[in-house]
Amino acid sequence: MAPRTTQILEAAARLIARRGVRGLRVEELAAEAGVSTGLIYYHFKDRTGILRHTLEFINDRAERYTTGRDPDAEPLAPREELEEILLLELQDTAEVRENSSAWGELRASAVFDEVLREDLARATLVWVQDVAALLGQVRPMAPAPALAAAGERLTALLEGLSMRWLSGGLQIDHARDLVRGAIDAELALLREK
C-alpha cells in the first residue's frame, strides 16, 4: 500500500474510532491525514470507498497484531495459538483500542448501510472461519458445523467483551479470563461431538 493511502486509512480509522462513521467527514479526514480532499477522492472515489477500504485496513492491521509472531520463537501448540490469537484482540494498546473501537462503529453503522453490512459480513465470516480452523486443529475429530458454531460464539463473545472493556464496563483482565473460560467451554463441547 502506498504511504499516502496508508496515511489516509490510519486517519480514517482514528476518526471513526473517535467520532463514529456518521461523524466521518471527508474534509476532516483530509485535515487529519494532512492531504487534500481531492487526493482522498482520487484514491477512494467516494465516502463508501473510504469506509470499505478502512474496514479492510482495520482487518489487515488486526491480523498483523494477532498473528505476527517472532519467526524464531518456538511454535505454539494449537490450543495455545487459539488462545493467543483471541487474547491479542484484548490488548491495552492504542492500536488495538483504535481498531476495536472503529470495528464496533463500523458494525453499528452497518445496521443502516447495506453495502457496509455485506463487507462486514464477509470480514466476520473470514474471522469465524479462521477461529473454527484453529479449533479444528485442537479438536480434529469435531464436525465442521460444530467448529463453525464454536467459532461464531467465540468471535461474537470477543466483540462484546471488547466493547464492554473499551467503554469501561469491564476490566481487561476479567475480559481475558472470560475468553479463556469460553475457549475451555467450547473445546469441552467439541470433545462431546
Side-chain angles (χ1 to χ4, degrees):
M1 190 177 305
R4 284 282 196 203
T5 305
T6 300
Q7 184 177 336
I8 295 167
L9 292 171
E10 286 171 345
R14 270 193 310 278
L15 287 174
I16 290 170
R18 277 192 260 144
R19 298 186 184 177
V21 172
R22 289 185 177 177
L24 181 67
R25 303 284 177 260
V26 175
E27 296 77 21
E28 290 179 16
L29 175 56
E32 180 80 14
V35 300
S36 70
T37 56
L39 186 62
I40 290 173
Y41 284 117
Y42 172 78
H43 283 291
F44 303 105
K45 307 293 182 238
D46 56 19
R47 192 169 186 279
T48 299
I50 295 166
L51 295 176
R52 290 179 112 167
H53 283 90
T54 303
L55 175 61
E56 186 178 314
F57 172 78
I58 289 167
N59 283 332
D60 290 346
R61 190 162 63 172
E63 185 174 338
R64 277 193 308 276
Y65 65 68
T66 58
T67 60
R69 296 194 78 236
D70 179 356
D72 295 330
E74 285 289 320
L76 297 174
R79 167 68 170 79
E80 294 169 325
E81 183 178 359
L82 172 66
E83 183 175 306
E84 180 176 279
I85 285 174
L86 292 177
L87 291 179
L88 285 172
E89 290 284 356
L90 293 169
Q91 298 179 71
D92 196 6
T93 66
E95 184 178 49
V96 172
R97 282 178 170 273
E98 182 179 283
N99 237 40
S100 296
S101 295
W103 175 269
E105 291 294 337
L106 287 162
R107 172 138 347 258
S109 291
V111 171
F112 306 104
D113 184 335
E114 190 171 328
V115 173
L116 190 54
R117 188 178 320 143
E118 291 171 7
D119 290 344
L120 202 57
R122 276 191 293 279
T124 301
L125 179 61
V126 169
W127 188 26
V128 169
Q129 289 172 338
D130 289 347
V131 172
L134 288 168
L135 287 162
Q137 291 177 20
V138 181
R139 295 282 185 262
M141 300 308 291
L147 293 168
E152 188 79 46
R153 286 188 296 269
L154 286 172
T155 56
L157 174 71
L158 187 53
E159 276 189 53
L161 291 174
S162 179
M163 288 301 106
R164 287 187 182 184
W165 160 60
L166 289 168
S167 64
L170 195 63
Q171 295 295 315
I172 191 169
D173 291 336
H174 184 57
R176 292 170 70 87
D177 287 342
L178 291 170
V179 170
R180 286 185 192 97
I183 293 169
D184 290 341
E186 291 296 343
L187 291 174
L189 279 173
L190 289 171
R191 187 180 306 124
E192 296 170 7
K193 302 283 182 191

